[in-house]
Amino acid sequence: MMMPTSTPEANTNEATLLPALKTTELMPYLPHRYPFLLVDRVTHHEQGIRIEGYKNLTMNEGFFQGHFPGMPVMPGVLQIEAMAQLGGILMAHTPEGAEMLGLFAGLDNVRFRRMVEPGDTLEMSVSVVQLRRRIAKLKGVATVNGQAVVEADMMFSLMPKSEATLSG
């Protein structure tokens, strides 16, 4: 397990708490839009340290139609993506990530613990493990009803938004 980042924010006992965000308020921090926006709300945010949020899942999610007919399950890659999006919001509120776009650079120690089904609320927590220049390492954990469903160590390469070619 890696030690926490050595940024000043992570070493203080008094983290700056940022306000909770509902869907429309978190959208400026992510390039994703429906149907690929996988965070409904940010519920807790310690600037540069940790963030918590959730995704409510209904049978109306498009992926449930084909994954799997008769036994709808949220794909594991989308569970990871939801945690990554939450991590993107966390990174957007750091000095290193303010004008950056986080792109996946790697995943380690991914574990899926149970299925995520329609009606579940995927509750996620993402923490900064290490942050150096243009590389960020984050730890994500998601639960449903207090039971772990997925966890992963995620690595991001931070790219200036000015260099990204995003339309819309």
Side-chain angles (χ1 to χ4, degrees):
M1 183 172 180
M2 292 190 280
M3 297 304 296
T5 180
S6 60
T7 60
E9 296 89 6
N11 289 332
T12 64
N13 290 330
E14 298 177 26
T16 301
L17 291 179
L18 298 177
L21 302 171
K22 50 189 175 182
T23 306
T24 55
E25 295 169 329
L26 62 83
M27 289 172 71
Y29 304 106
L30 294 174
H32 308 83
R33 296 297 177 262
Y34 180 83
F36 213 66
L37 181 60
L38 299 174
V39 179
D40 288 336
R41 190 170 293 248
V42 171
T43 56
H44 181 84
H45 189 172
E46 297 171 50
Q47 186 176 20
I49 299 173
R50 187 169 65 92
I51 192 168
E52 295 175 0
Y54 63 82
K55 168 69 177 160
N56 285 318
L57 297 158
T58 71
M59 191 60 194
N60 295 328
E61 307 288 347
F63 50 80
F64 283 138
Q65 306 313 309
H67 195 268
F68 299 102
M71 190 180 84
V73 176
M74 183 181 192
V77 295
L78 294 182
Q79 295 171 39
I80 298 291
E81 176 64 27
M83 290 192 303
Q85 289 181 18
L86 191 62
I89 298 166
L90 175 63
M91 295 311 305
H93 288 89
T94 64
E96 297 85 351
E99 294 301 318
M100 304 293 234
L101 179 64
L103 304 172
F104 259 133
L107 289 169
D108 288 310
N109 304 313
V110 178
R111 296 291 179 266
F112 297 100
R113 305 290 183 193
R114 72 176 282 272
M115 292 187 289
V116 179
E117 304 167 315
D120 286 344
T121 297
L122 186 67
E123 299 177 37
M124 302 169 284
S125 177
V126 177
S127 302
V128 173
V129 175
Q130 190 174 53
L131 180 56
R132 291 195 181 136
R133 296 181 147 208
R134 289 189 167 191
I135 299 293
K137 293 183 180 181
L138 308 177
K139 171 74 174 177
V141 177
T143 63
V144 171
N145 295 325
Q147 294 184 329
V149 295
V150 63
E151 58 189 69
D153 296 330
M154 302 175 284
M155 186 166 58
F156 296 87
S157 174
L158 301 175
M159 173 185 189
K161 288 180 183 176
S162 61
E163 294 176 19
T165 55
L166 300 175
S167 60

